[in-house]
Amino acid sequence: TRYMYVQFVTHKSDALAAFKQYIQYVGYTPRHVHMDNAGEHMGVFAKFCLDKGITQTFICPYGHEQNAIVERRMQLLKNAGRAALLESGLPPAFYGRALVHAAHIENQLVHPVLPDTTPQQQQFPDSKPHQPVVFGSAAYLTVWPQQKRGGVLKYPGQLGIYVGESKYGTGALIYEPLTGSILPRRDVRYDQHWRYSASGSIPANACSQCVSP
């Protein structure tokens, strides 16, 4: 399908947990996985594949060209993610989010191998395409519940930063500078011509009651 799924792990030993998350996400168990000879793909990982009837095949040592599809897609993701992060002005800690966002965009583009459809439609036929949003755009959120707005004459929103789409919901992932949290949100409006600034600058038309970065 050429569908790309990005899952970050803290340690290489977490590879099996990430693989299980992938299986849960796509809703089926693959019959075959092709990978390199890294140690995290042996031991408990190999036992899991054996128990689930998954065939493992491996490339030769230093034979990365034998896994050319994955290697090329990784290069694409890194280039697109790096460009998105640099353009956004967000700090390096958001590099992982930028890579996930890059995969999200690529999954919705027509691929040469799939001239009449997209990887997203191939993997999830019932899914609807998302309207692309520039990574790092200013995101104006509606504050819920109403009691948190501080009164009926107060501005009913706050300013956040768009950092991707939720894989497990229909909301956009918004970084909130005031709390340092990233949460799925709905009822969002974007200013895709503004970028995050660590200096604390905000859009010229941003309401002063929205946020104080």
Short mmCIF file of all heavy atoms in Angstrom, two decimals, residues 7 10 28 34 41 51 55 57 64 72 83 93 102 130 141-142 154 158 190 200:
data_model
loop_
_atom_site.label_atom_id
_atom_site.label_comp_id
_atom_site.label_asym_id
_atom_site.label_seq_id
_atom_site.Cartn_x
_atom_site.Cartn_y
_atom_site.Cartn_z
N GLN A 7 6.34 5.41 14.50
CA GLN A 7 6.20 5.20 15.94
C GLN A 7 7.57 5.33 16.57
O GLN A 7 8.48 4.56 16.24
CB GLN A 7 5.60 3.82 16.24
CG GLN A 7 5.43 3.50 17.71
CD GLN A 7 4.35 4.35 18.35
OE1 GLN A 7 3.28 4.51 17.79
NE2 GLN A 7 4.62 4.86 19.52
N THR A 10 11.79 4.83 22.90
CA THR A 10 12.87 5.35 23.74
C THR A 10 14.10 4.46 23.66
O THR A 10 15.24 4.94 23.61
CB THR A 10 12.41 5.45 25.21
OG1 THR A 10 11.22 6.26 25.27
CG2 THR A 10 13.49 6.08 26.07
N TYR A 28 -4.96 -5.54 11.51
CA TYR A 28 -4.70 -6.91 11.03
C TYR A 28 -3.23 -7.25 11.29
O TYR A 28 -2.40 -6.37 11.50
CB TYR A 28 -5.01 -7.06 9.54
CG TYR A 28 -4.14 -6.22 8.63
CD1 TYR A 28 -2.91 -6.70 8.18
CD2 TYR A 28 -4.54 -4.95 8.22
CE1 TYR A 28 -2.10 -5.94 7.36
CE2 TYR A 28 -3.74 -4.18 7.40
CZ TYR A 28 -2.53 -4.68 6.96
OH TYR A 28 -1.73 -3.92 6.16
N HIS A 34 9.96 -7.68 6.37
CA HIS A 34 11.31 -7.70 5.84
C HIS A 34 12.10 -6.62 6.56
O HIS A 34 11.69 -5.46 6.59
CB HIS A 34 11.28 -7.43 4.33
CG HIS A 34 12.61 -7.59 3.66
ND1 HIS A 34 13.31 -8.78 3.67
CD2 HIS A 34 13.35 -6.71 2.95
CE1 HIS A 34 14.44 -8.62 2.98
NE2 HIS A 34 14.49 -7.37 2.54
N HIS A 41 15.31 -7.12 16.50
CA HIS A 41 14.40 -7.93 15.69
C HIS A 41 14.57 -9.42 15.97
O HIS A 41 13.93 -10.24 15.30
CB HIS A 41 14.63 -7.65 14.21
CG HIS A 41 14.36 -6.23 13.83
ND1 HIS A 41 15.04 -5.57 12.82
CD2 HIS A 41 13.50 -5.31 14.36
CE1 HIS A 41 14.60 -4.33 12.72
NE2 HIS A 41 13.67 -4.15 13.65
N ASP A 51 4.99 -17.02 16.84
CA ASP A 51 3.71 -17.37 17.47
C ASP A 51 2.52 -16.88 16.64
O ASP A 51 1.46 -17.51 16.64
CB ASP A 51 3.64 -16.78 18.88
CG ASP A 51 4.62 -17.42 19.84
OD1 ASP A 51 5.12 -18.52 19.53
OD2 ASP A 51 4.92 -16.80 20.89
N THR A 55 6.09 -14.35 8.85
CA THR A 55 7.38 -14.73 8.27
C THR A 55 8.35 -13.56 8.33
O THR A 55 8.02 -12.45 7.89
CB THR A 55 7.22 -15.18 6.81
OG1 THR A 55 6.33 -16.31 6.75
CG2 THR A 55 8.56 -15.57 6.20
N THR A 57 11.99 -12.08 7.10
CA THR A 57 13.14 -12.18 6.21
C THR A 57 14.06 -11.01 6.50
O THR A 57 13.62 -9.94 6.94
CB THR A 57 12.72 -12.18 4.73
OG1 THR A 57 11.94 -11.01 4.46
CG2 THR A 57 11.91 -13.43 4.40
N HIS A 64 21.79 -2.43 2.63
CA HIS A 64 20.61 -1.60 2.76
C HIS A 64 19.80 -1.51 1.48
O HIS A 64 18.59 -1.28 1.51
CB HIS A 64 21.00 -0.20 3.23
CG HIS A 64 21.75 -0.18 4.53
ND1 HIS A 64 21.19 -0.60 5.72
CD2 HIS A 64 23.02 0.19 4.82
CE1 HIS A 64 22.07 -0.48 6.69
NE2 HIS A 64 23.19 -0.02 6.18
N ARG A 72 14.32 4.33 1.09
CA ARG A 72 13.95 5.53 0.33
C ARG A 72 12.86 6.32 1.04
O ARG A 72 12.89 7.56 1.07
CB ARG A 72 13.46 5.12 -1.07
CG ARG A 72 13.06 6.31 -1.95
CD ARG A 72 14.27 7.18 -2.24
NE ARG A 72 13.89 8.39 -2.98
CZ ARG A 72 13.57 9.55 -2.42
NH1 ARG A 72 13.57 9.66 -1.09
NH2 ARG A 72 13.25 10.59 -3.15
N ALA A 83 12.61 19.81 6.95
CA ALA A 83 12.16 21.05 6.33
C ALA A 83 10.98 21.65 7.09
O ALA A 83 10.93 22.87 7.31
CB ALA A 83 11.77 20.80 4.87
N ALA A 93 13.00 19.53 19.84
CA ALA A 93 12.18 18.52 20.54
C ALA A 93 10.95 18.13 19.73
O ALA A 93 10.36 17.07 19.97
CB ALA A 93 11.75 19.06 21.91
N ALA A 102 4.93 14.65 8.39
CA ALA A 102 5.38 14.39 7.02
C ALA A 102 4.79 13.09 6.49
O ALA A 102 4.35 13.01 5.34
CB ALA A 102 6.91 14.34 6.97
N HIS A 130 -7.76 14.38 5.05
CA HIS A 130 -7.72 15.59 5.86
C HIS A 130 -7.25 16.77 5.00
O HIS A 130 -6.44 16.61 4.10
CB HIS A 130 -6.76 15.42 7.04
CG HIS A 130 -7.24 14.49 8.10
ND1 HIS A 130 -6.97 13.14 8.08
CD2 HIS A 130 -7.98 14.70 9.21
CE1 HIS A 130 -7.51 12.56 9.15
NE2 HIS A 130 -8.13 13.49 9.84
N LEU A 141 -8.05 28.15 19.22
CA LEU A 141 -8.92 27.13 19.78
C LEU A 141 -10.09 27.76 20.50
O LEU A 141 -9.95 28.79 21.15
CB LEU A 141 -8.15 26.27 20.80
CG LEU A 141 -6.69 25.93 20.49
CD1 LEU A 141 -6.06 25.26 21.69
CD2 LEU A 141 -6.61 25.03 19.28
N THR A 142 -11.23 27.11 20.42
CA THR A 142 -12.37 27.49 21.24
C THR A 142 -12.22 26.85 22.61
O THR A 142 -11.97 25.65 22.71
CB THR A 142 -13.68 27.03 20.60
OG1 THR A 142 -13.80 27.59 19.29
CG2 THR A 142 -14.88 27.45 21.44
N LYS A 154 -15.39 37.87 27.71
CA LYS A 154 -14.00 37.51 27.47
C LYS A 154 -13.86 36.81 26.12
O LYS A 154 -14.80 36.19 25.62
CB LYS A 154 -13.48 36.59 28.58
CG LYS A 154 -13.47 37.22 29.96
CD LYS A 154 -12.48 38.37 30.05
CE LYS A 154 -12.40 38.89 31.49
NZ LYS A 154 -11.43 39.99 31.59
N GLN A 158 -8.13 30.60 22.66
CA GLN A 158 -6.73 30.76 23.04
C GLN A 158 -5.87 30.32 21.87
O GLN A 158 -6.35 29.67 20.93
CB GLN A 158 -6.40 29.92 24.28
CG GLN A 158 -6.44 28.42 24.07
CD GLN A 158 -6.16 27.64 25.33
OE1 GLN A 158 -6.84 27.82 26.33
NE2 GLN A 158 -5.16 26.78 25.29
N TYR A 190 -6.95 28.19 11.71
CA TYR A 190 -5.51 28.29 11.54
C TYR A 190 -5.10 29.58 10.84
O TYR A 190 -5.80 30.08 9.96
CB TYR A 190 -4.99 27.10 10.73
CG TYR A 190 -5.29 25.76 11.34
CD1 TYR A 190 -6.32 24.97 10.84
CD2 TYR A 190 -4.57 25.28 12.43
CE1 TYR A 190 -6.62 23.73 11.40
CE2 TYR A 190 -4.85 24.06 13.00
CZ TYR A 190 -5.88 23.29 12.48
OH TYR A 190 -6.18 22.08 13.04
N GLY A 200 8.70 34.66 21.82
CA GLY A 200 7.42 35.01 22.41
C GLY A 200 6.56 35.90 21.55
O GLY A 200 5.53 36.38 22.00
#
